[in-house]
Amino acid sequence: MNLTRWSARLPGTQRRSAVPAARGKAGDPTPGTTGAPAAGTPGGDATTPGDRASDSDGRPPAPAPADTTPASEQSVRGVLSRLPALIAFTRGPAHQVRFVNDAYTDVFGPRTTGTPARDALPELDELGLLPLMDQVHRSGKPRTVKARKVAQGAHTAPGTPTREGYFTFTCTPVQPGHADPEQRGVLVFGADVTDQVQSAERLRESERRLRDTAVTLQRSLLPQELEQPDDLRVAATYQPGGTDAAVGGDWYDVITLGAGRTALVIGDVMGRGVRAAAVMGQLRTAVRAYARLDLPPHEVIQLLDELAAEIDATQIATCVYAVHDPSEGRLHYASAGHLPILIRDPDGTVHCVEEPTGPPLGTGGWIHTSGTVPLGPGCTAVLYTDGLIERRDQDIDEGVTALTRALAGATGAPQVICDRLLRSLGVTSEHDDDVAVLVLQYPDHTGADAELFRNASLDLLGGVEAAPRARAFATGVLASWRFPTELRDLGVLAASELVANSLKHGIPPMRLRLRRTDRRLIIEVTDGDEHLPRRRRADPADEAGRGISIIATIATGWGSRRTPGGGKAVWCEFALPM
């Protein structure tokens, strides 16, 4: 075979004028011995002395003429034999084996030349290289397959220990332009990439462990179990994005505030990794603390804005905070640079809640305001992060439109809607961004449920007759709701104390509101004064100051808050017997 034309192109080799010949392989003519010209050299045929066992008539072969292989070819054979890469050379469409080097036989065992590769080199068939060699022989263009698994020693003598390795094989055409297909050959070059493959596998395993740890950290900062309000059905889902360990800072929460009201929050800390997750965890903790103060949504966002600048002035975060009041059937909200809330009405109409929206948290210098939108029985609201709708090849408004269409056709329980929205927007485990979705429904109670969810209210005009009217009203309502006598008496006492406190310290308009759910009785009094009551210890000689202490003693919980239109609300609640 004539290797001089392409020997200088072999990886890691250079043409040399004289290199001592290496030890020969089967079918490899040795300098100084008999042998025919190698295949592929001028005057050579398709076989070598090592290929012919006898003449056609069965007689022993005649002595071959002296070796006339050029010294340059002998040098190339010597170089190829000593290379650590696996090398095999075939010729013709049947891929007659002409040469294999030492490294090849060390891996696959001794091989016979002069026969087709399918028979002499079965490992090439197992590795799927024969079809590739056919392509190379026909097209004259090299082909490569990467990291093929090889059981080293499996084809050698019995009892030889085997080990798994990985080789990248390159099939290179030899004399691709020769008119005679029998003279065109294929050089198979196998480079050992076991260390690289194993290193890559170890790296992937390390990244997988890091990602699992990061996702565990992220999920530990999210609610392990959502609070379930009396009047709302809620569900949320979080889908980490990408395959690396750098999870994002998406978060959500549901917080019951008392008096049947529920706070809902969702946010997104820009960036990825532990830093974003740490900021997210601090913001979520702060939101829960601020929510317990029962502040209006814009005041919570204002406090978060100041806190975000203190935590990390370089970290940008968006957030929307909303409070649902079932007595009003409305959703009060404030947004700091976050995407609009979507609301689906009972008839299937979906609309965006776009105003008011301020800049992201941490920017400072902005006075946030609250907005309000109806959210009555039968309505569904969706809060989400940008990973759900944002795509690199489309405008974010197109994503909001796609989500609107998906929500219009999504029915069922909140968790079902979460899953359907993810599927409709094409979010899978391979999604490149984190996604958080929070769905809430305000059910329209009918039938037996309607008896468990009731409201009653009375406007108080003030004067000496207000307290007796309030007691009579509370007595009649609680009796019609068929509460036990003890609970009915406690409810009337609580209503009387709250009304008396409002008459003494508040200003009109005043209203007494009673509400029952399947789990609690809620009593609330509103008036036009903004000063919130405080529980204090009354001295024995004091004639006043004991009303709130009585409420705190007999009720399961109590609280007060400023109302959006000015004034305040003071409430207490009693857990119903199960």
Side-chain angles (χ1 to χ4, degrees):
M1 76 182 166
N2 188 355
L3 305 177
T4 58
R5 295 187 180 181
W6 43 264
S7 61
R9 302 179 184 175
L10 291 176
T13 66
Q14 295 179 348
R15 182 176 301 177
R16 301 178 182 176
S17 59
V19 179
R23 58 189 179 90
K25 296 289 146 193
D28 214 6
T30 304
T33 64
T34 59
T41 61
D45 59 16
T47 62
T48 66
D51 299 333
R52 296 195 297 266
S54 64
D55 291 335
S56 59
D57 58 1
R59 293 178 299 171
D67 183 15
T68 59
T69 303
S72 59
E73 182 173 333
Q74 296 176 15
S75 299
V76 171
R77 286 174 177 271
V79 171
L80 296 182
S81 293
R82 290 197 301 272
L83 285 179
L86 312 185
I87 295 178
F89 174 70
T90 67
R91 188 177 293 283
H95 306 300
Q96 297 284 336
V97 179
R98 309 305 301 145
F99 173 80
V100 292
N101 72 341
D102 292 344
Y104 194 99
T105 58
D106 288 342
V107 172
F108 296 111
R111 290 294 179 260
T112 302
T113 59
T115 57
R118 185 175 299 277
D119 301 324
L121 308 179
E123 58 277 356
L124 298 185
D125 192 18
E126 296 172 6
L127 294 169
L129 292 178
L130 290 182
L132 198 69
M133 294 169 65
D134 291 336
Q135 295 178 22
V136 172
H137 187 272
R138 289 192 303 267
S139 66
K141 297 180 180 179
R143 295 287 188 271
T144 299
V145 292
K146 296 182 178 180
R148 289 296 171 92
K149 194 176 195 178
V150 173
Q152 302 184 45
H155 299 274
T156 58
T160 303
T162 63
R163 68 182 185 90
E164 289 185 349
Y166 293 86
F167 288 81
T168 291
F169 291 93
T170 299
C171 299
T172 305
V174 178
Q175 291 185 317
H178 202 289
D180 184 2
E182 293 294 339
Q183 297 303 312
R184 297 199 292 266
V186 176
L187 177 75
V188 179
F189 185 95
D192 190 343
V193 294
T194 303
D195 290 343
Q196 296 92 313
V197 170
Q198 292 177 346
S199 296
E201 289 178 349
R202 288 193 295 269
L203 179 60
R204 283 193 295 269
E205 177 62 21
S206 176
E207 290 176 343
R208 186 192 63 79
R209 289 195 299 267
L210 287 174
R211 174 176 168 75
D212 291 345
T213 301
V215 171
T216 300
L217 170 64
Q218 170 81 347
R219 292 191 183 279
S220 69
L221 296 174
L222 295 174
Q224 302 304 300
E225 185 176 350
L226 289 179
E227 296 183 22
Q228 294 295 325
D230 293 2
D231 296 277
L232 295 178
R233 293 186 296 178
V234 296
T237 186
Y238 169 72
Q239 174 71 54
T243 57
D244 56 11
V247 296
D250 294 19
W251 54 288
Y252 57 84
D253 209 347
V254 177
I255 309 163
T256 53
L257 301 178
R261 300 164 68 250
T262 305
L264 307 115
V265 59
I266 195 165
D268 185 2
V269 179
M270 303 304 173
R272 298 174 69 80
V274 175
R275 184 179 180 183
V279 173
M280 176 271 286
Q282 294 178 78
L283 291 177
R284 176 177 173 256
T285 301
V287 167
R288 293 194 70 86
Y290 296 149
R292 297 305 179 190
L293 300 176
D294 221 339
L295 299 172
H298 68 276
E299 292 189 23
V300 173
I301 292 294
Q302 201 76 51
L303 292 172
L304 284 178
D305 185 25
E306 298 170 3
L307 178 64
E310 295 177 6
I311 294 174
D312 189 342
T314 64
Q315 199 80 40
I316 302 299
T318 64
C319 178
V320 61
Y321 179 85
V323 175
H324 179 256
D325 190 333
S327 298
E328 299 177 357
R330 302 189 71 82
L331 189 69
H332 302 272
Y333 65 93
S335 175
H338 204 78
L339 294 163
I341 301 172
L342 297 184
I343 295 181
R344 182 180 187 272
D345 293 333
D347 61 0
T349 303
V350 178
H351 52 94
C352 291
V353 179
E354 297 183 351
E355 296 292 342
T357 299
L361 300 176
T363 55
W366 183 268
I367 304 302
H368 293 271
T369 58
S370 294
T372 181
V373 63
L375 186 72
C379 291
T380 299
V382 176
L383 292 75
Y384 52 97
T385 57
D386 59 2
L388 180 64
I389 63 169
E390 192 172 25
R391 302 294 182 269
R392 295 174 181 172
D393 57 348
Q394 68 178 21
D395 187 79
I396 196 169
D397 290 337
E398 297 178 28
V400 174
T401 301
L403 178 60
T404 300
R405 290 195 300 266
L407 180 58
T411 58
Q415 188 60 60
V416 174
I417 294 178
C418 281
D419 297 339
R420 288 181 176 176
L421 293 181
L422 291 181
R423 289 197 302 270
S424 298
L425 275 295
V427 177
T428 66
S429 58
E430 303 299 323
H431 196 60
D432 61 357
D433 195 7
D434 296 67
V435 175
V437 181
L438 178 62
V439 175
L440 61 141
Q441 288 181 338
Y442 185 18
D444 187 4
H445 298 291
T446 58
D449 278 353
E451 295 296 320
L452 300 178
F453 293 83
R454 305 286 292 276
N455 287 283
S457 62
L458 173 68
D459 291 328
L460 301 173
L461 303 178
V464 295
E465 75 282 358
R469 288 184 64 236
R471 285 194 294 271
F473 176 77
T475 300
V477 170
L478 298 181
S480 68
W481 289 350
R482 295 188 293 245
F483 283 134
T485 301
E486 181 181 0
L487 179 59
R488 186 168 64 242
D489 292 343
L490 290 175
V492 171
L493 175 59
S496 177
E497 291 295 337
L498 290 177
V499 169
N501 185 77
S502 181
L503 290 172
K504 183 175 180 63
H505 302 287
I507 58 176
M510 303 177 186
R511 171 176 288 187
L512 169 64
R513 188 159 57 191
L514 305 178
R515 177 172 176 77
R516 71 157 296 168
T517 70
D518 58 341
R519 288 183 278 183
R520 70 197 76 227
L521 166 65
I522 301 166
I523 302 172
E524 185 176 62
V525 174
T526 61
D527 63 56
D529 184 77
E530 292 187 351
H531 294 87
L532 301 180
R534 295 183 297 108
R535 184 181 180 184
R536 62 184 180 87
R537 183 183 296 277
D539 294 331
D542 291 344
E543 296 183 359
R546 293 182 175 84
I548 297 299
S549 294
I550 293 173
I551 295 296
T553 301
I554 65 175
T556 305
W558 78 280
S560 62
R561 70 179 188 281
R562 291 186 176 89
T563 54
K568 67 176 179 295
V570 184
W571 58 269
C572 67
E573 61 184 24
F574 298 85
L576 300 183
M578 302 301 291

